[in-house]
């Protein structure tokens, strides 16, 4: 079955850290740009971060997470990660990864989506 599976979400206190994983099953993640999105209750989906295919030399971040989040990839493990530090209550959302069809973080066409993982930042 061809799918993306996220993991690593949970409940964390403000200022804490989490590392999300986006693992591919049934296909090679190496070929894809990968984007992370998040959606909080009552809000529109927001693009959080993106990493280019292959060695992942191109990374992009939303202004709201710059300096706090780091995206990376381990192609040997067929996985992309999102390290989230200095978490704030406003980071609370469902985080979802997607495999981009195309060779740009600006593409809005996707071949695969994950099911999402809940991140809750609260004291």
């Amino acid at each position: 079955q061809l799918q993306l599976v996220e993991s690593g979400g949970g409940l964390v206190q403000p200022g804490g850290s989490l590392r999300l994983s986006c693992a591919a099953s049934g296909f090679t993640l190496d070929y894809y740009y990968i984007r992370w999105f998040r959606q909080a209750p009552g809000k529109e989906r927001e693009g959080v971060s993106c990493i280019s295919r292959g060695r992942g030399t191109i990374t992009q971040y939303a202004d709201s997470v710059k300096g706090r989040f780091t995206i990376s990839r381990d192609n040997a493990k067929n996985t992309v990660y999102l390290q989230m530090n200095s978490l704030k209550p406003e980071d609370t959302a469902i985080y979802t990864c997607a495999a981009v069809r195309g060779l740009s973080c600006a593409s809005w066409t996707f071949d695969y989506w994950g099911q999402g993982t809940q991140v809750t930042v609260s004291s």
Side-chain angles (χ1 to χ4, degrees):
Q1 186 175 3
L2 307 179
Q3 60 181 353
L4 290 172
V5 179
E6 300 96 338
S7 61
L11 173 64
V12 63
Q13 293 186 342
S17 298
L18 285 173
R19 188 178 78 159
L20 304 184
S21 298
C22 172
S25 176
F27 67 98
T28 302
L29 206 59
D30 186 9
Y31 299 141
Y32 287 93
Y33 280 61
I34 299 297
R35 295 184 69 176
W36 281 98
F37 295 89
R38 66 185 181 185
Q39 188 166 21
K43 294 187 177 181
E44 293 188 354
R45 187 171 61 198
E46 173 190 18
V48 174
S49 186
C50 179
I51 188 167
S52 58
R53 64 189 292 186
R55 291 182 296 165
T57 53
I58 299 171
T59 58
Q60 294 183 2
Y61 300 92
D63 288 343
S64 57
V65 306
K66 276 181 183 176
R68 300 188 298 122
F69 289 12
T70 303
I71 191 170
S72 63
R73 65 191 307 153
D74 185 339
N75 293 328
K77 294 183 178 180
N78 222 20
T79 301
V80 168
Y81 302 99
L82 186 68
Q83 177 67 43
M84 307 187 296
N85 298 329
S86 302
L87 283 162
K88 305 174 181 179
E90 50 263 44
D91 294 318
T92 295
I94 296 174
Y95 285 71
T96 306
C97 61
V100 177
R101 181 183 303 176
L103 298 178
S104 170
C105 286
S107 173
W108 281 91
T109 304
F110 304 95
D111 280 345
Y112 305 102
W113 284 90
Q115 82 291 347
T117 185
Q118 176 70 48
V119 171
T120 302
V121 185
S122 175
S123 55

